[in-house]
Amino acid sequence: MKLRTEFSLLSGALVMVVITGVSIMLFISQRRMLFDEMRANQENIIKGFVRVAEESLIAKNEIVLVNYLKFIKRAEGVIQAMLQDMNDKIMGHTDLTLFGNIYRDDAGEGAKESDGFLIQRRADGEGNDIYEVSMPVFISERKEAIARISFSCEVLDGKVEENLKKTRNHILFIAVISLFIGLLGSLVMARMMIRPINQLSYAVEQIGKGKLEYRINVKQTDELGKLEDEFNSMAHKLNELDEMKRDFVSSVTHELRSPMTSIRMYIGLLFKGAGGPLSPKQEDCLNVIKKSTSRLARFIDDLLDVAKIESGKMTIRKENFDILPTVKETIKLMKPQADAKKIKLTVEAIDNLPQIQADPERVNQIITNLLSNAIKFTRENGKVKVKITEVADNLEVRVIDNGAGIPKESLGEIFEKFAQVKGLRDTIPGQKGTGLGLPIVKSIVEAHGGKITVESEIEKGSAFIVFLPKK
């Protein structure tokens, strides 16, 4: 999973948790507020009833009490209201037929014992849940009566639930909007944070490919910007070291080339008898020296080619020519090497091959390197074939062998300088390569505007495919 996705999911989850928590807290707070509001309303109604009852008792005017009881009856959720004296005699009731009756119940006994506002939830005689609120009525600091009002739980709870439903809808709407804004913000933030990391990752990839001149355009001033700046500083130092290395290698190889040429020349003179007749043993020794100097000379030539490529001074002299004669000539030169291992070396080409626009010497270098590798990594009695076909605007040159093959995990590394396939190099007898041939081939092919790919399977062989632009 990508870091941006992980960051977005984590931020989104955090936003969701926060919004859910806040929504729950708001809902609980709103529910408590509604119940507190309901209780405060009940308390205000009962207090109004008590004041009217006090005035009625003091003035001995029942008409005021009866009228107020009618007013209370119209209040939302009210089932009944009554005023009882301390002997349980009903002094006023919303049902006028109950005036003067004696009414005793547990709620009334509890109300008589209380000196202030009291709310009780109970079932009435018909099995309905009710809220009953009560307050004592004092006359000259003496408790003379109890004011009682019964509210329907179903009506009041339904009213609360209706308000809570509206609250839930509002909270849900706000939560959805907040979640959308939060997720959008997390995506934007993730993009802002991941972009410099991606730039840094790409820069590291370029440095890993040898493009040490690559730099990041630093725009931020935070920690990531500082990291990018430090990376640029590191890349600059690496580039300086690489230039020093190239200069050193170039100088050393140039210095080695002159004495190596002299050694090879004098070996030739010795073989021609310039120093007198050679014994068989001396000839064997000189042959060993000759092979070693030839190998060293090839290595020096490869190093010089790499130095030219890296400095951008590799010369490509393009011209229109037929590739088949060049391939056949190269195969002819490589035949002794193939015959030594009893390897069958063949070429196959379609009729009427078009010309290519390339440097003949460099194309020869490409074919020589690929054939040399194919012969080297093909066991005795094997086969190596060069197959030339036409593909769109290119000629396709395949160098195919049935040798040891290359592991899949190593296919991306074989075109790097000094790369050696782990475990494979030691299984091949004879002289080992320097790991410069394939990088040189790749650079030459790309300098011609072409490309090179490889297909391989362990113990079944490899195929290096070169695409060169047609004329």
Side-chain angles (χ1 to χ4, degrees):
M1 186 181 294
K2 291 185 177 180
L3 184 59
R4 182 170 63 183
T5 305
E6 291 181 358
F7 184 84
S8 299
L9 289 176
L10 181 61
S11 301
L14 183 61
V15 169
M16 190 174 294
V17 169
V18 171
I19 290 175
T20 302
V22 171
S23 299
I24 292 173
M25 290 176 62
L26 284 173
F27 182 77
I28 294 173
S29 175
Q30 181 70 9
R31 188 173 185 274
R32 185 182 293 115
M33 186 184 72
L34 287 172
F35 275 106
D36 289 345
E37 186 179 324
M38 181 182 72
R39 178 171 175 171
N41 184 54
Q42 292 170 337
E43 190 171 355
N44 289 333
I45 293 175
I46 194 69
K47 283 180 179 179
F49 186 20
V50 168
R51 285 194 297 272
V52 171
E54 288 175 351
E55 293 174 4
S56 175
L57 291 175
I58 292 172
K60 295 182 180 180
N61 185 353
E62 294 182 352
I63 300 298
V64 174
L65 181 62
V66 169
N67 289 334
Y68 194 76
L69 285 171
K70 290 179 180 178
F71 170 76
I72 292 176
K73 180 67 175 179
R74 292 195 295 270
E76 186 175 32
V78 173
I79 296 176
Q80 64 178 14
M82 71 177 78
L83 181 69
Q84 290 180 283
D85 63 17
M86 300 308 294
N87 296 317
D88 300 322
K89 181 180 177 182
I90 296 176
M91 304 171 67
H93 200 289
T94 49
D95 184 353
L96 298 178
T97 62
L98 298 178
F99 271 67
N101 290 352
I102 302 297
Y103 180 76
R104 291 189 179 91
D105 60 357
D106 293 338
E109 295 299 318
K112 286 192 291 184
E113 294 176 3
S114 175
D115 291 330
F117 176 76
L118 178 66
I119 183 168
Q120 304 174 76
R121 180 166 181 158
R122 65 184 183 86
D124 63 7
E126 298 178 1
N128 299 315
D129 285 340
I130 62 172
Y131 290 113
E132 182 166 295
V133 295
S134 61
M135 279 188 77
V137 179
F138 290 93
I139 304 296
S140 299
E141 298 184 355
R142 180 182 175 185
K143 190 186 293 185
E144 292 289 342
I146 302 296
R148 299 170 64 183
I149 303 176
S150 299
F151 295 88
S152 169
C153 289
E154 182 180 356
V155 173
L156 294 185
D157 289 350
K159 185 68 176 177
V160 170
E161 184 59 34
E162 182 182 348
N163 289 328
L164 285 177
K165 185 177 180 180
K166 293 178 180 178
T167 300
R168 276 197 299 268
N169 292 336
H170 291 154
I171 290 175
L172 181 60
F173 176 76
I174 295 171
V176 169
I177 296 299
S178 301
L179 181 61
F180 175 76
I181 295 173
L183 290 176
L184 184 63
S186 68
L187 287 172
V188 172
M189 188 178 296
R191 183 179 178 83
M192 291 175 61
M193 293 188 67
I194 299 305
R195 183 171 55 203
I197 295 176
N198 287 337
Q199 290 177 343
L200 188 61
S201 176
Y202 179 77
V204 170
E205 182 182 351
Q206 296 306 305
I207 294 295
K209 291 178 178 179
K211 298 179 181 178
L212 301 181
E213 71 284 353
Y214 187 85
R215 298 292 182 271
I216 300 174
N217 184 17
V218 181
K219 296 181 180 179
Q220 295 176 258
T221 57
D222 55 12
E223 289 81 355
L224 287 172
K226 185 178 179 181
L227 179 61
E228 290 176 338
D229 192 53
E230 291 295 330
F231 174 86
N232 285 342
S233 177
M234 178 200 70
H236 177 70
K237 291 177 181 178
L238 284 175
N239 196 32
E240 286 183 342
L241 289 172
D242 190 62
E243 287 179 357
M244 291 172 60
K245 180 264 295 180
R246 288 202 301 266
D247 291 341
F248 173 76
V249 170
S250 181
S251 298
V252 169
T253 49
H254 275 291
E255 290 299 322
L256 286 174
R257 196 169 195 179
S258 295
M260 187 58 58
T261 302
S262 298
I263 292 171
R264 295 175 72 181
M265 183 183 68
Y266 278 103
I267 289 173
L269 291 173
L270 288 173
F271 271 116
K272 292 178 180 180
L278 298 175
S279 65
K281 188 173 183 179
Q282 288 173 331
E283 286 188 4
D284 290 340
C285 291
L286 282 175
N287 278 320
V288 172
I289 296 172
K290 183 180 179 181
K291 289 180 180 178
S292 297
T293 52
S294 296
R295 183 184 175 195
L296 187 55
R298 284 196 301 272
F299 179 60
I300 291 172
D301 288 340
D302 285 345
L303 284 176
L304 286 171
D305 280 339
V306 169
K308 290 177 183 177
I309 290 167
E310 290 180 340
S311 63
K313 296 179 180 179
M314 183 177 65
T315 304
I316 301 291
R317 296 184 177 88
K318 294 183 179 181
E319 60 181 73
N320 298 329
F321 76 101
D322 295 319
I323 192 174
L324 186 57
T326 300
V327 172
K328 288 181 177 180
E329 182 64 26
T330 306
I331 287 177
K332 185 178 179 181
L333 293 173
M334 300 297 297
K335 196 171 186 308
Q337 186 179 336
D339 289 343
K341 295 178 68 175
K342 300 178 182 178
I343 293 173
K344 186 178 180 181
L345 196 56
T346 59
V347 61
E348 177 185 322
I350 62 172
D351 296 331
N352 301 317
L353 274 176
Q355 289 186 326
I356 60 172
Q357 189 176 45
D359 187 328
E361 291 186 9
R362 294 299 182 183
V363 172
N364 179 272
Q365 190 175 358
I366 293 170
I367 304 301
T368 300
N369 268 299
L370 294 180
L371 280 176
S372 178
N373 277 349
I375 293 170
K376 186 187 302 179
F377 290 100
T378 300
R379 297 183 178 89
E380 289 191 357
N381 300 309
K383 296 178 181 179
V384 174
K385 179 170 71 172
V386 180
K387 183 178 180 181
I388 310 172
T389 56
E390 186 178 0
V391 179
D393 296 329
N394 298 285
L395 279 190
E396 179 188 280
V397 182
R398 285 178 176 257
V399 179
I400 309 165
D401 66 66
N402 62 349
I406 305 168
K408 286 185 179 179
E409 61 271 16
S410 299
L411 289 176
E413 304 172 1
I414 59 175
F415 292 106
E416 296 177 6
K417 288 181 295 186
F418 303 106
Q420 300 286 349
V421 179
K422 295 179 181 179
L424 182 61
R425 190 171 186 265
D426 297 333
T427 64
I428 303 302
Q431 293 183 351
K432 306 299 188 292
T434 60
L436 293 174
L438 288 177
I440 291 172
V441 167
K442 184 173 184 291
S443 297
I444 294 173
V445 170
E446 290 177 350
H448 281 82
K451 68 174 182 178
I452 181 170
T453 60
V454 59
E455 298 171 357
S456 187
E457 193 172 345
I458 292 295
E459 298 301 331
K460 290 188 178 181
S462 304
F464 284 84
I465 306 108
V466 175
F467 297 92
L468 293 171
K470 294 187 296 187
K471 171 183 172 183

